[in-house]
Amino acid sequence: MNPLHALSRFALWTCCLILLPFSANATTVRVLTVQGAIGPASADYLVRGLDKAIADRAQLVVIELDTPGGLDTSMRDIIKAILASPVPVATYVSPQGARAASAGTYILYASHIAAMAPATNLGAATPVELAPAGDKPDAARPADAPPGDAKMRKVVHDAAAYIRSLAELRGRNAEWAERAVREAVSLPASEALKLKVIDVVATDLDDLLRQLNGRSVKLGDRTITLDTVHAKVERVMPDWRSRLLAVIGDPGIAYILMLLGIYGLIYEFANPGMLFPGVVGGICLLLGLFAMQVMPISYAGLALMLLGIVLMISEAFVPSFGALGLGGIAAFVIGSVMLIDTDLPGYGLPWMLIVPVAVASALFSFFVASMALRARRRPVVTGAEELVGATGVTLEDIEHEGWARVHSEHWRVRSKTPLPRGSAIRVRARHDLILDVEPWQGE
């Protein structure tokens, strides 16, 4: 064999072996699934999933989305990751009956490819997270009539400009996007396709990949052509970190963690040295506050909750005949209702959680109070006060003052009547280290 020919074949095989992993990954489609409200957990899951797909040189990332909306900060983290991704991202509202409302609409507009399954919808993108009660935008208000609250006007204008910029970047219907923000309108999948809000309507993931095969996608200053017919589909499920964030990011769980933390620290301060309640309470409180920091918290509601807890605990130490306890329950319930001030789906505290927690706190408070009252009614069994009424026996003949044994201790005693040695006595009073006694015949 010609040496030059052999060398060229060797070089060709070497190049094939080097490029084999890249060519294999280039036909890989990563699928990330988000269901439920957009929050810190879903943002962390999607951002890290995109980073992993970029590192593995995947051809396409598909985000299967079904969300009622979510937090603005988490939504923007996801959109920033999509816009900066060198791998094309297709957001697919799926399965049938799913929706991409509020934050989901922004994510759909930011994606390189927007797709929906039949019988799905998007829209209702008016921001409500920061609006106080009574100042929420009215869906029936015309687009050119801004809300009356200055803060709300800023929020709506900012959101409208943001989604319009995303629409112009991807060449989608910017006018309808702005209406979705200002008027909270929605669209089904078929109409969204006609109005050029989305790019594809696909019945399932396989149908989506078939329709995307051969489609050109612009990534910055370059354009790539998708080859998804024979692509290997890899589903990436949330890991333990994302699942943990999803658990503590739930408003109900965060609420319970915060209460456990407060009660644990109170118990530790009341009983120094227990350690376990303080350690567990500190961990729970930090986790609860971490989850609460990304939610629209009403500080007035939080203050009322803390006041209610303090009043219920004070019932155990102050004889208020239930006034402090009842006031504490009322403050706690009102504060719990006010705690999360938002209309975002999935970010409120249900009554089915608030009422049992309030009842449990009240029962615990009254239980502690009843135990304290019982303890007050019990006779004193230790200390100086317990000596009054105690019995003993004289150790010598006592005319006015002498020695006696009381509680197996030698005490100097005084008596108004003479007492022979061995007489039974009872303590009437104590004056420093001298006891006043009297004869005792027993009962």
Side-chain angles (χ1 to χ4, degrees):
M1 179 180 294
N2 189 333
L4 184 60
H5 182 62
L7 182 60
S8 63
R9 291 189 62 184
F10 175 76
L12 178 62
W13 280 106
T14 303
C15 290
C16 290
L17 290 176
I18 293 174
L19 295 176
L20 181 61
F22 296 98
S23 63
N25 288 337
T27 59
T28 298
V29 174
R30 293 288 173 83
V31 179
L32 308 173
T33 303
V34 175
Q35 293 183 335
I38 300 295
S42 52
D44 177 78
Y45 163 63
L46 287 179
V47 171
R48 291 196 297 120
L50 281 173
D51 291 341
K52 185 67 167 58
I54 294 169
D56 294 343
R57 302 173 66 91
Q59 178 187 188
L60 176 68
V61 174
V62 177
I63 300 176
E64 291 185 333
L65 187 63
D66 180 11
T67 178
L71 300 176
D72 178 78
T73 52
S74 301
M75 175 198 74
R76 290 179 182 260
D77 288 340
I78 295 171
I79 291 176
K80 289 176 184 178
I82 293 174
L83 296 179
S85 173
V87 174
V89 177
T91 297
Y92 178 40
V93 184
S94 174
Q96 295 186 21
R99 57 177 168 166
S102 193
T105 302
Y106 293 82
I107 295 173
L108 199 65
Y109 263 86
S111 302
H112 301 90
I113 300 169
M116 298 176 69
T120 57
N121 68 283
L122 81 161
T126 303
V128 296
E129 177 183 349
L130 300 178
D135 289 328
K136 303 294 188 290
D138 186 355
R141 182 186 287 111
D144 58 349
D149 184 75
K151 182 177 71 173
M152 197 58 209
R153 285 200 300 270
K154 293 180 180 180
V155 173
V156 171
H157 290 323
D158 176 72
Y162 188 49
I163 200 169
R164 174 174 279 275
S165 67
L166 296 175
E168 292 174 351
L169 176 66
R170 300 304 184 200
R172 300 198 177 101
N173 191 327
E175 286 70 22
W176 185 89
E178 190 166 349
R179 287 188 60 206
V181 173
R182 297 187 182 278
E183 302 176 45
V185 296
S186 298
L187 274 182
S190 56
E191 292 186 22
L193 183 62
K194 293 177 183 178
L195 294 177
K196 296 183 180 180
V197 173
I198 62 172
D199 306 307
V200 178
V201 173
T203 56
D204 54 28
L205 181 61
D206 293 335
D207 183 30
L208 175 65
L209 296 180
R210 282 194 299 269
Q211 294 190 50
L212 295 184
N213 186 57
R215 178 183 288 266
S216 296
V217 178
K218 186 176 181 180
L219 295 171
D221 56 354
R222 65 190 179 95
T223 301
I224 66 170
T225 301
L226 299 178
D227 180 14
T228 56
V229 172
H230 304 293
K232 178 183 178 183
V233 177
E234 294 182 357
R235 289 188 174 272
V236 180
M237 303 306 295
D239 58 9
W240 67 269
R241 173 178 167 176
S242 298
R243 289 194 293 268
L244 176 62
L245 287 174
V247 171
I248 66 174
D250 181 89
I253 299 299
Y255 175 73
I256 293 174
L257 284 174
M258 189 174 64
L259 291 180
L260 289 177
I262 293 172
Y263 281 124
L265 292 180
I266 290 175
Y267 191 84
E268 179 65 31
F269 292 149
N271 301 274
M274 292 291 290
L275 298 181
F276 180 75
V279 171
V280 174
I283 293 173
C284 290
L285 183 60
L286 289 176
L287 288 175
L289 292 177
F290 167 76
M292 290 291 184
Q293 72 173 344
V294 296
M295 300 178 191
I297 298 298
S298 167
Y299 292 101
L302 181 60
L304 279 171
M305 281 183 56
L306 296 178
L307 176 63
I309 292 173
V310 170
L311 291 178
M312 286 188 287
I313 293 176
S314 300
E315 181 68 33
F317 304 98
V318 179
S320 67
F321 304 100
L324 288 177
L326 294 176
I329 294 172
F332 182 83
V333 172
I334 296 172
S336 298
V337 174
M338 296 172 54
L339 182 61
I340 300 182
D341 183 21
T342 181
D343 289 339
L344 289 176
Y347 277 92
L349 291 176
W351 282 101
M352 294 183 66
L353 174 63
I354 295 175
V355 172
V357 170
V359 170
S361 299
L363 291 177
F364 177 76
S365 173
F366 287 125
F367 172 76
V368 172
S370 64
M371 295 295 292
L373 290 175
R374 290 180 184 178
R376 288 179 181 177
R377 295 192 183 112
R378 291 175 182 171
V380 180
V381 295
T382 59
E385 293 79 3
E386 191 273 338
L387 284 173
V388 178
T391 59
V393 60
T394 58
L395 298 177
E396 59 184 2
D397 293 333
I398 297 176
E399 185 69 25
H400 295 289
E401 188 171 320
W403 291 93
R405 185 189 301 113
V406 180
H407 281 183
S408 301
E409 299 171 342
H410 288 191
W411 284 87
R412 194 72 176 170
V413 299
R414 290 183 303 202
S415 176
K416 295 180 179 180
T417 59
L419 297 171
R421 176 175 179 166
S423 299
I425 57 174
R426 183 170 60 182
V427 179
R428 293 189 301 107
R430 175 189 172 186
H431 303 281
D432 294 329
L433 297 180
I434 299 178
L435 304 179
D436 290 340
V437 299
E438 61 183 3
W440 184 62
Q441 302 300 327
E443 294 180 358

